[in-house]
Amino acid sequence: MSETVLEARGLCKSYGAQPVIYDMNFSLPAGRIIGLLGPNGSGKTTLIKLAAGILTPTSGEILVNGREPDEVTCGLVSYLPERTYFSGWMKASAAVDYFADFYADFDKNRALTMMSHLGIHPDSRLRTLSKGTKEKLQLVLVMSRAARLYLLDEPIGGVDPAAREYILRTIISNYAENSTVLISTHLIADIEPVLDDFLFLRDGKIVMQSSTDEAREKYGMSIDGLFREVYRC
Amino acid sequence: MLGKLIKHDMRSLLRLILPLTLAIIASALLCTLALRLVVSTASTGDGSGYEIMIISSLGAYIFLNAAAVLIYPTVVTILIMYNFYKNLYTDEGYLTFTLPVKRSSILLSKFLTAEFWTFISFVVTSGCVAFAIFFGTATDTLYNTDIMPFIEFILQFVDVTFTAPLIFYIISMVAGSLFQTVIIFLAITIGSIVAKKLKLLAAIGIYYAMDLVTSIVISVIGFIMMIPSFMSDSSALLSSITLQPLVNGIIYVGFAVASYILTNSLMKNKLNLP
């Protein structure tokens, strides 16, 4: 049995009276690429934000490497939110230096190499970059860390198909054997080839958790097809 | 890690405040020149309409510059608080709060850099005003030589009688500055965590409410302190008045410490970024 990297125990999160995550229990092993899949409002982003420590659970707990989110788990987690978080006045190189300053596991050379592959000049001011390019830069920074857990919230949502392919290759090639990647996305067909496991979420609950191979064998269809079947309107 | 946080916070604030500070210093230098021109024209001129027009124009210019210099510390405070809000409770918070640093270190870094720039704004404002008075009001000499005897006259009163009240007043002023910074941090934090919409407006409302409560507490304690001296002689009343700034300072520090602990606790246990 491989080591658990992310675990939820009776996890609940409400915004006011509205529950978003409801009594969630799961554990994610190390060394897997896991898709966090579900329709809009199913709680994918909320779950990732809880694991990153920028939301506080209403009840229950979420554990990263056995700890509740804190400064230690932040050092283990590489989090890509669905928003751009650098100030527009910064240069791309300053964003790289920022990561290099704070994260001991950050590989600056790898980041600069990936930036050059994606055509991001280090001297570019972030405000001059398109939204997609800023997202690429953030993904480059996040994937240039040797983290235990990568939390990627819609990493390919805002980028062109060519860049998507590069990003997926990057995700596969850059994560270490004992790391786990949790990817939330709507673009299941694009991401399916890289997934080892998946979780289907609906109304803040896990409705299915399986390995992709087992699910394909059991239901005789792709994960994309299974998703359409499960969430048929 | 605290050092790194301070480095990045200083850099972020420097970008906002340095251009403003340089503009204020340049404005104060020009204001001093204009003041000197007004003083020398007024003392040597013949009072012609042309002179009055020049003096009036320069006077308006000096007034606007003086207003800018005096407003500068307030603008610096607004920039510091805007930076605090933006770094922590907007999209930038997704980066700040996921750094591998303690939340208490994030708050301490914000607090120290805020106090540093508040101090700089105080020094710049005081320096600009002193420079304008010292060099701008002279006519024939480089600086106003009449000011030195005035300063010496003031200094002769700085003995045991006046030193204590002066120190108490400075303590109160410093404590008040610390208090203001911390309750604005707390107001922004509560506004950002509690309010669903119009977070900054909520923060401003919370700030004024907390400031009002503190003022009431200070007034009530001040009044209670004075009661025994009303029934006594004038020296007891003077002693109460002298001690008042020190008591205010202690109250400010008490509220500042409580607000700091509460802000830290909210950031640690109740964070919910939208």
Side-chain angles (χ1 to χ4, degrees):
Chain A
M1 183 72 185
S2 59
E3 190 187 344
T4 296
V5 174
L6 183 65
E7 188 178 7
R9 292 180 193 156
L11 182 67
C12 296
K13 178 66 189 171
S14 304
Y15 293 117
Q18 179 72 38
V20 184
I21 299 284
Y22 184 73
D23 194 22
M24 196 176 273
N25 294 283
F26 66 83
S27 64
L28 304 181
R32 311 287 284 177
I33 299 180
I34 301 158
L36 186 61
L37 312 173
N40 293 329
S42 57
K44 303 186 296 293
T45 294
T46 301
L47 178 60
I48 285 183
K49 283 161 81 170
L50 284 162
I54 54 172
L55 284 182
T56 310
T58 307
S59 62
E61 57 184 3
I62 188 158
L63 305 171
V64 176
N65 242 28
R67 293 177 69 100
E68 289 192 349
D70 62 3
E71 69 278 4
V72 176
T73 65
C74 284
L76 303 172
V77 171
S78 196
Y79 169 49
L80 178 77
E82 52 178 349
R83 330 175 161 222
T84 49
Y85 49 45
F86 282 112
S87 294
W89 59 268
M90 287 176 87
K91 287 183 177 178
S93 58
V96 172
D97 291 338
Y98 194 93
F99 262 61
D101 253 3
F102 285 104
Y103 297 107
D105 58 6
F106 181 72
D107 185 338
K108 189 174 177 178
N109 289 332
R110 182 194 279 181
L112 292 172
T113 307
M114 285 163 70
M115 279 166 63
S116 85
H117 289 164
L118 288 165
I120 305 169
H121 197 278
D123 287 334
S124 310
R125 292 251 176 229
L126 298 190
R127 73 163 66 90
T128 66
L129 302 178
S130 69
K131 189 171 178 286
T133 309
K134 279 186 227 169
E135 287 177 7
K136 284 182 207 169
L137 173 64
Q138 284 187 187
L139 185 77
V140 162
L141 297 173
V142 164
M143 292 312 297
S144 296
R145 288 184 55 199
R148 288 280 285 138
L149 174 64
Y150 296 87
L151 299 171
L152 311 179
D153 196 358
E154 296 287 353
I156 56 171
V159 297
D160 55 87
R164 263 179 219 170
E165 208 176 300
Y166 178 84
I167 288 166
L168 292 176
R169 273 207 317 272
T170 304
I171 291 170
I172 298 168
S173 58
N174 281 22
Y175 92 103
E177 211 169 83
N178 64 343
S179 299
T180 292
V181 183
L182 184 64
I183 309 175
S184 141
T185 186
H186 294 291
L187 302 165
I188 300 165
D190 285 299
I191 209 113
E192 186 173 342
V194 307
L195 295 182
D196 297 315
D197 302 314
F198 69 91
L199 282 92
F200 278 177
L201 259 60
R202 176 190 278 156
D203 299 330
K205 292 177 187 170
I206 295 173
V207 291
M208 192 181 288
Q209 179 176 5
S210 169
S211 88
T212 48
D213 290 341
E214 279 174 15
R216 282 192 205 104
E217 198 176 317
K218 186 174 177 184
Y219 297 101
M221 60 179 84
S222 67
I223 304 304
D224 188 35
L226 185 60
F227 182 89
R228 290 168 202 274
E229 195 68 31
V230 170
Y231 296 105
R232 189 186 296 278
C233 295
Chain B
M1 282 294 184
L2 179 64
K4 288 174 182 174
L5 284 169
I6 291 173
K7 182 183 92 175
H8 286 283
D9 279 336
M10 286 296 283
R11 192 177 288 173
S12 174
L13 283 173
L14 187 76
R15 193 189 65 83
L16 288 172
I17 299 172
L18 187 65
L20 178 70
T21 304
L22 293 176
I24 286 295
I25 291 170
S27 163
L29 289 174
L30 290 173
C31 185
T32 305
L33 281 176
L35 185 63
R36 199 174 173 110
L37 204 58
V38 166
V39 170
S40 101
T41 309
S43 61
T44 58
D46 53 7
S48 67
Y50 178 69
E51 265 183 22
I52 289 169
M53 195 183 76
I54 288 178
I55 289 173
S56 306
S57 307
L58 287 173
Y61 176 76
I62 291 164
F63 175 78
L64 288 175
N65 275 278
V69 169
L70 295 175
I71 289 169
Y72 161 76
T74 307
V75 177
V76 167
T77 303
I78 291 169
L79 289 174
I80 290 169
M81 297 312 151
Y82 168 72
N83 196 57
F84 177 82
Y85 171 72
K86 194 162 169 280
N87 277 178
L88 299 187
Y89 300 114
T90 65
D91 288 353
E92 289 181 23
Y94 282 74
L95 178 62
T96 311
F97 283 119
T98 52
L99 293 173
V101 293
K102 287 183 177 170
R103 304 240 159 125
S104 57
S105 299
I106 294 172
L107 181 60
L108 184 59
S109 166
K110 297 283 176 209
F111 175 72
L112 292 176
T113 48
E115 283 308 309
F116 172 80
W117 280 110
T118 303
F119 177 71
I120 292 292
S121 71
F122 171 76
V123 169
V124 168
T125 304
S126 311
C128 287
V129 170
F131 187 82
I133 292 171
F134 210 62
F135 292 99
T137 55
T139 48
D140 302 326
T141 51
L142 178 64
Y143 63 87
N144 191 338
T145 48
D146 294 337
I147 290 175
M148 290 315 290
F150 177 72
I151 292 171
E152 281 162 14
F153 174 76
I154 295 289
L155 285 176
Q156 70 180 339
F157 291 102
V158 183
D159 55 9
V160 178
T161 320
F162 279 86
T163 305
L166 188 68
I167 290 172
F168 293 165
Y169 183 74
I170 291 169
I171 288 172
S172 169
M173 214 170 67
V174 172
S177 164
L178 302 179
F179 165 75
Q180 286 297 326
T181 302
V182 177
I183 65 158
I184 297 175
F185 282 178
L186 177 60
I188 292 173
T189 300
I190 294 175
S192 301
I193 288 173
V194 174
K196 289 187 173 63
K197 289 176 183 173
L198 303 171
K199 292 172 185 291
L200 275 180
L201 202 62
I204 291 167
I206 292 162
Y207 164 74
Y208 279 111
M210 288 192 297
D211 199 41
L212 181 69
V213 168
T214 312
S215 301
I216 291 170
V217 169
I218 284 175
S219 303
V220 169
I221 290 177
F223 182 73
I224 292 168
M225 273 179 64
M226 294 266 187
I227 290 173
S229 57
F230 289 145
M231 300 162 194
S232 180
D233 57 3
S234 59
S235 66
L237 184 64
L238 186 66
S239 169
S240 292
I241 292 170
T242 306
L243 277 175
Q244 190 61 47
L246 181 66
V247 174
N248 291 355
I250 292 167
I251 294 168
Y252 279 138
V253 169
F255 273 94
V257 169
S259 302
Y260 189 93
I261 291 169
L262 185 56
T263 308
N264 190 41
S265 169
L266 288 171
M267 280 169 61
K268 196 175 171 190
N269 303 315
K270 296 286 176 194
L271 183 70
N272 283 299
L273 290 188

